[in-house]
Structures are given as C-alpha cells and as structure tokens.
Amino acid sequence: MVKRVAVVGIGTTGFRPVTPDVSFRELIFEAARKAYTDAGIEPSEIDGFITTAEDFMEGYSIADEYCPDQIGAVLKPTQTIPGDFIQGMATGYMMIMTGAFRTIAIEAHSKASNMRNIGELMGFAQDPVYNRPLRETPHAVAGLEMTRYLFESAASSEQCAQVVVKNKKNAMRNPYAAFGAEITEGDVLASEPISLPLHRLDIAPHADGAVVAVLADEDTARALCETPIWIEGLGWSTDTPTLEMRDWGEAAYARLAAEMAYRMAGIGNPAALIDFAEICDEYSYKELQHMEALKLCMPGEAAYMIESGATSYQGELPINISGGALGVGHLFEASGAHKILELVEQLRGNAGARQIPDVNVGLAQVWRGVPTATGAVAILSNM
Amino acid sequence: MKLEDFELGGTQLKASDFKTGKVLTTEWKPDLKYAWDNGVAIGRYLAEFKEGRIIARVCHKCDRIMLPPRMFCELCFRPTDEWMYVKDTGVINTFSIAKVNWDASRRGPKEPPLLPAVIEIDGASEGMGIMHMLGEADPKDFKIGMKVKAVWKKPEDRTGAITDILYFKPVAAGTEDKNKGRPEGRGKEVR
Ligand SMILES: [Zn+2]
C-alpha cells in the first residue's frame, strides 16, 4: 500500500509580465524539461499527466486536448483539471494513492498577456443574470470584500498597503519574480483608486510563466532523490458562488481547506508548526484575511503581525517570501504552482538569497480569484 | 416525503409561447480577444510562408523532419536541432468534401464544396505535412496518394499566415519529375 507521496522534481520558466518570444507550448516545454531533468526521469517513464487550465483563459475550446506534446504526454494517460495547480496536485496525489500510478506530472501555466481584454474575460465569470447586467468591474467584488474584511477585523488600508510593500520587497530577492520594487505605504495609498478601498498597487499585476512538478510514491521517491519533499496535507473547498449570500468578512473556503489539510497532516496547532507560508495575496487584504482563515493567527490579529514585522523575511512566520502574487505576478491557475515551487526550493535549501534557515514545514494556499470562493491548501515537509 | 414533493414545478409550455416571447432568457454577447504569441517555431514557419517557402525542424535523435516545425521533439522530449526547407509539393493523405461552412451553415447551391485535406509534404518525415485545402480540380477527381502542389498568393498579398497558400492543386502530368520523392538524408542546415 502507498504510504506517502512526494514532489521529486520541479521546473519553471520563471515569471515575466509578457513572453512574446515564445508560444505557450514552448513556454511549457521549458518548465517540463527542467522538471523531468530535476527528477532524473524521462516522460516516457511517467505513468500519468495532469494539466490545469480554463478554456476561456487559453482561448481554445477543449484546451486540454492541446496539452500532451509540450509535457511529453503523447499517447499517455492525461487529463486536465479546470482549477488551480494545487487542485491538480490533489488529483495526482489521489491517483498515486490508488497504487495504479507510481509517478504523475502536473503542469500549470499562465499566458495572461495573450488575453487582450482581460477585464471582459474576468467579468464573464460573473453570474449573467444576477450580476453581469450591473456591469461592475470584477475588481469591485474584491473591493466589496475588502470593505467588509476591514470592518470586521479592524485592519486598515495602511496595513494592507504594508503587505504590498513587504511582498514587492521580498520579490527583489527572487530571480523568478516580475514585480519586485522598493515602494512605500504612501505609494500604495496614492496609487490610482480602482474600487475603493482598493488602489492599483493593492492588486497583483498578471504575469506569464509555467511550472511542472513530478510526484512519486514513497519507494520511487526515495530511489529518485535524496530529499523528497513530502506532501503531508491537502485540502480544498468552495463557498457558494452567489455573491448575495456568501460570507464577505471571513474566507470560509480557505478555513475549510486548511482544516482538511491540517487533519490529514495531523497538525493541531498550525501557528506553532508551520515554519513559513506562501498564501494568496492577489489583493493586498487577502494575505491578512487568509492568514486568519488558515489559523496562522487569531481573527483580527493579522494586521498586528504585518505591522510588527512578524511575517517579514526575518520575522517569526515569514509569509510570501517569494514576493507572492503582488511581487511575482498573478498567474491565474498557475498561482498555486508558483507557491509549491517556493515551498520546494525552501525545503530543499535551494532558495538562494531568499533562503529561510532551518525550515521543515511549509504551507501553500491559493484562491481562484474574483468572483470565485474556491481555495486549496497544501502542506509540504522535508522530513 | 414522496419524490414528487421535491419537484419544483413550473408551467407547461407550447411552441407558440417561445415564438411570442413568453419564455424569458438572459442574453450576453461576449467580447473576448486573444492574441497567441507564435513563438520561435511557428514564428519562423509563418515568416517563411510570406517568402513562399515551407520550413521544417529536424530532431537528430529520432531523425524526424517535423512539419509544422517545433522547437522541441514531443517524443524524444528534447530541443530540436536544425531548420530545413521542404518542398511545396506533396501527396494527399486524406481529404473530405465539405458542403457546410466552419460554423456548420450550409453552403449555397452555387457555391462549390470546400475540400479540406491533409497533405504529406515532400521532404518532411512520413505522415507529416500541412492541413490545407484542395482546388483547381473537380472534387471527384481527387484521390488519396495524388501528387499536389501549393498555389501561393501573390508575394505582395502574403501576410505570414497559412492562408498565404490558397490551396493545393493536382500536379499536371509532365511536371511531376522535378518535385518527385523525398530528399535523401537530411539536406542542408538553414539558419
Ligand atoms: Zn526526436
């Protein structure tokens, strides 16, 4: 019986605002080739493949059919999960746990720069009957949520701006990140108002890039590599899509996904056990809201942690050391992939200038963006 | 509770109710725009179309001359090695006689059928070539294995698209020889 599943290889192109030099196939090939070389395995030896993509973002109907070549999956078992990379990883984990697959490759990418009217595309995700006729910007959904979160938590716009300052600064140490910068709280608050209290710099700008990871069962993982990065916990959850009914203050989807992952990992006190976390900061306030949902702090406490520097590079619980979405770029369904990449590099001790010393357990959490209420959590360890 | 208790009910409708607008729906016309980066392989492929040439990529490991060209070999899973021009002639692998348009609307009684075809191009590996159209002959005269040649747009009308070739036409008897067969070996590398 399969006992554990590990990440045994990972590869990426890094992330850039635009990638006009390569097609999406060429982008994905680079990440896949690097992942298989990292794992010391050829795609012909991999038992199954999972890609994560949404047709509307790709501009193809049945985009899953256009995946096999660039991941080495021609004439192999392959499927697409229309969700985030971490949801794809959960599927890969379950496939290996059945015992029918020893190795699974998982792919995610963003070619956001190819979506030429991204506002309309994001707006298209709203309910066509209840919400779309109002013709509100998709960012308004985040603006609504930020207002309610600030009201319930007593966090401030200034504290949200500090999240932007921290993450963009972290990104300067990350060679993969597209949007590293030294900015101030004042720069964020003075940036173009979008859907207040949201300002332009509160919103993660989109980026292109690809990530591929290889998962393996315990025996295969130990044969392939010295430091398998073990998947200790996985969870995912979705709140109602109905904007008129959902909980606007608390990220319930994230809390439930985390509780599922903590149960699986046997973690009773996440704040004490998790060494560092990569969590969704697609909008600045989301980092604070998600910290509370993930029980990395008490409700209402996240704002104090950003204020005190507890979540900074040298703090007691570094959050988004990679730069997060605000610093790396928003990657749509590849958002979770970049977070898993950061966990693997940190847990292997390969994170270079941004390496956090002595880390054993990392948490990655992702949200699928407005107007969704879906989140997924993965907990990885090097022990 | 009985199963019937779960039925949410509704009103029985007649065809006339739809025609007279008694059935309400919400409509939305999406305005989505995409621009796919061609990248290295397809970028060069289309640039060569503009010059009236067809270019392939070679994988030295599996010895395939791949058309359309790609920067990686999906079987060997490694970068491909070199560019190579192939001919603008080939043989019909398969074809169809389409009496409807791409949106499934029927072609008019005076419109000729469309003739989509897969052409195995001379110089590319067996089974590889171009999905295009046939023309200049009666649909019933096309056969699998028939030799065909590209009919290009005038140079000034080409835009760097696969439509720079208008269609493939049967090669007339007597002109076949100079385009016959695949080149021996790999030919000359093109940079
Ligand atoms: Zn090859």
Side-chain angles (χ1 to χ4, degrees):
Chain A
M1 197 194 138
V2 180
K3 297 181 290 279
R4 299 174 92 187
V5 176
V7 179
V8 297
I10 198 156
T12 186
T13 56
F15 310 102
R16 287 178 280 155
V18 293
T19 47
D21 48 334
V22 285
S23 66
F24 76 92
R25 291 183 175 92
E26 291 161 356
L27 190 80
I28 293 167
F29 169 78
E30 180 186 331
R33 185 61 266 178
K34 286 176 174 175
Y36 304 152
T37 299
D38 182 43
I41 197 169
E42 285 303 309
S44 55
E45 305 167 288
I46 295 174
D47 296 334
F49 297 80
I50 296 169
T51 58
T52 53
E54 281 282 351
D55 287 4
F56 273 107
M57 291 178 193
E58 304 302 309
Y60 283 64
S61 296
I62 328 181
D64 47 324
E65 288 296 313
Y66 293 85
C67 294
D69 297 39
Q70 55 270 23
I71 56 171
V74 175
L75 296 175
K76 302 275 279 188
T78 180
Q79 61 176 309
T80 294
I81 300 294
D84 184 82
F85 177 91
I86 293 179
Q87 293 171 287
M89 203 165 102
T91 302
Y93 177 93
M94 291 187 283
M95 287 168 77
I96 290 174
M97 289 301 277
T98 65
F101 299 81
R102 285 175 309 160
T103 48
I104 295 282
I106 304 156
E107 180 273 343
H109 66 279
S110 164
K111 257 287 192 182
S113 65
N114 281 182
M115 303 179 216
R116 287 303 160 92
N117 50 357
I118 212 159
E120 170 86 7
L121 194 138
M122 287 172 71
F124 203 59
Q126 292 181 7
D127 186 281
V129 179
Y130 300 130
N131 308 131
R132 254 190 255 165
L134 301 173
R135 288 207 167 261
E136 294 286 357
T137 165
H139 293 311
V141 176
L144 293 166
E145 192 181 53
M146 185 173 178
T147 303
R148 185 75 203 183
Y149 170 71
L150 297 185
F151 172 75
E152 289 187 13
S153 69
S156 66
S157 288
E158 286 75 13
Q159 287 157 334
C160 294
Q162 287 170 21
V163 172
V164 186
V165 172
K166 166 179 76 74
N167 291 358
K168 282 189 174 291
K169 188 173 179 186
N170 283 349
M172 291 181 72
R173 276 188 296 265
N174 183 356
Y176 300 138
F179 298 101
E182 287 271 8
I183 58 165
T184 65
E185 199 182 304
D187 292 334
V188 179
L189 296 170
S191 66
E192 182 192 3
I194 301 297
S195 190
L196 292 171
L198 270 183
H199 289 81
R200 173 62 68 198
L201 290 177
D202 285 306
I203 305 171
H206 60 69
D208 293 358
V211 179
V212 173
V214 183
L215 306 187
D217 65 29
E218 182 160 7
D219 293 344
T220 310
R222 291 198 190 280
L224 280 172
C225 59
E226 279 179 26
T227 316
I229 302 301
W230 303 103
I231 299 174
E232 304 288 0
L234 286 164
W236 62 100
S237 177
T238 298
D239 202 345
T240 173
T242 309
L243 298 182
E244 294 81 349
M245 294 182 179
R246 68 166 62 150
D247 188 332
W248 287 90
E250 188 211 7
Y253 59 85
R255 175 172 54 78
L256 292 164
E259 285 171 359
M260 181 175 165
Y262 294 147
R263 261 198 315 279
M264 179 175 152
I267 293 176
N269 182 358
L273 209 90
I274 305 285
D275 294 323
F276 68 106
E278 289 286 315
I279 70 181
C280 174
D281 62 334
E282 189 188 327
Y283 298 95
S284 60
Y285 73 93
K286 286 303 253 184
E287 177 172 308
L288 304 178
Q289 187 197 33
H290 284 145
M291 281 168 61
E292 293 168 7
L294 299 171
K295 300 178 181 162
L296 297 176
C297 62
M298 301 293 286
E301 203 183 19
Y304 298 105
M305 288 180 74
I306 184 75
E307 189 91 52
S308 71
T311 57
S312 73
Y313 176 57
Q314 282 155 331
E316 63 205 52
L317 179 60
I319 289 186
N320 290 328
I321 207 76
S322 68
L326 289 161
V328 170
H330 174 40
L331 299 164
F332 293 86
E333 304 294 26
S335 296
H338 133 255
K339 296 175 201 309
I340 294 296
L341 171 75
E342 184 65 21
L343 259 55
V344 170
E345 295 219 324
Q346 291 284 352
L347 292 169
R348 281 177 171 179
N350 286 347
R354 64 189 192 287
Q355 180 67 46
I356 316 165
D358 306 321
V359 284
N360 298 120
V361 183
L363 178 146
Q365 178 261 338
V366 78
W367 164 59
R368 290 187 68 212
V370 287
T372 83
T374 289
V377 170
I379 297 161
L380 306 187
S381 93
N382 56 11
M383 297 187 298
Chain B
M1 285 179 82
K2 298 190 295 292
L3 291 182
E4 295 80 58
D5 295 335
F6 298 113
E7 290 176 8
L8 298 180
T11 309
Q12 286 205 346
L13 295 167
K14 298 187 284 291
S16 59
D17 295 332
F18 289 87
K19 283 178 195 143
T20 55
K22 282 189 181 167
V23 180
L24 302 177
T25 53
T26 302
E27 289 192 16
W28 185 273
K29 193 170 176 217
D31 178 27
L32 305 177
K33 291 193 187 78
Y34 303 90
W36 298 271
D37 295 320
N38 289 328
V40 185
I42 301 305
R44 175 77 185 265
Y45 182 54
L46 297 179
E48 294 287 354
F49 263 61
K50 203 167 177 183
E51 304 304 319
R53 296 187 294 240
I54 302 172
I55 201 160
R57 260 317 264 190
V58 185
C59 174
H60 286 172
K61 191 163 179 215
C62 63
D63 247 347
R64 290 189 306 158
I65 302 164
M66 288 186 267
L67 191 69
R70 42 180 56 191
M71 298 315 289
F72 56 89
C73 174
E74 78 284 4
L75 301 181
C76 305
F77 217 64
R78 58 189 286 282
T80 48
D81 300 290
E82 61 176 325
W83 295 100
M84 189 190 295
Y85 287 116
V86 293
K87 300 195 170 182
D88 70 348
T89 56
V91 295
I92 298 174
N93 175 309
T94 185
F95 69 103
S96 181
I97 301 168
K99 309 269 187 151
V100 293
N101 295 307
W102 98 300
D103 60 357
S105 60
R106 190 147 287 278
R107 290 177 71 75
K110 287 185 183 149
E111 287 178 292
L114 297 169
L115 300 169
V118 176
I119 320 263
E120 293 189 32
I121 292 290
D122 292 334
S125 287
E126 197 173 339
M128 291 194 161
I130 296 179
M131 158 103 186
H132 219 282
M133 309 291 284
L134 298 172
E136 274 189 39
D138 195 284
K140 66 179 187 308
D141 293 337
F142 286 107
K143 301 278 184 287
I144 283 177
M146 181 186 259
K147 187 96 184 174
V148 291
K149 180 173 172 56
V151 176
W152 295 86
K153 279 184 182 168
K154 286 187 295 209
E156 60 270 29
D157 295 338
R158 293 180 204 145
T159 60
I162 64 152
T163 47
D164 287 348
I165 290 176
L166 293 165
Y167 52 82
F168 282 78
K169 66 171 185 182
V171 174
T175 61
E176 239 172 286
D177 288 345
K178 68 173 188 235
N179 292 320
K180 194 177 172 184
R182 301 178 200 289
E184 292 295 317
R186 279 199 201 109
K188 198 166 176 292
E189 182 165 354
V190 181
R191 301 231 177 247

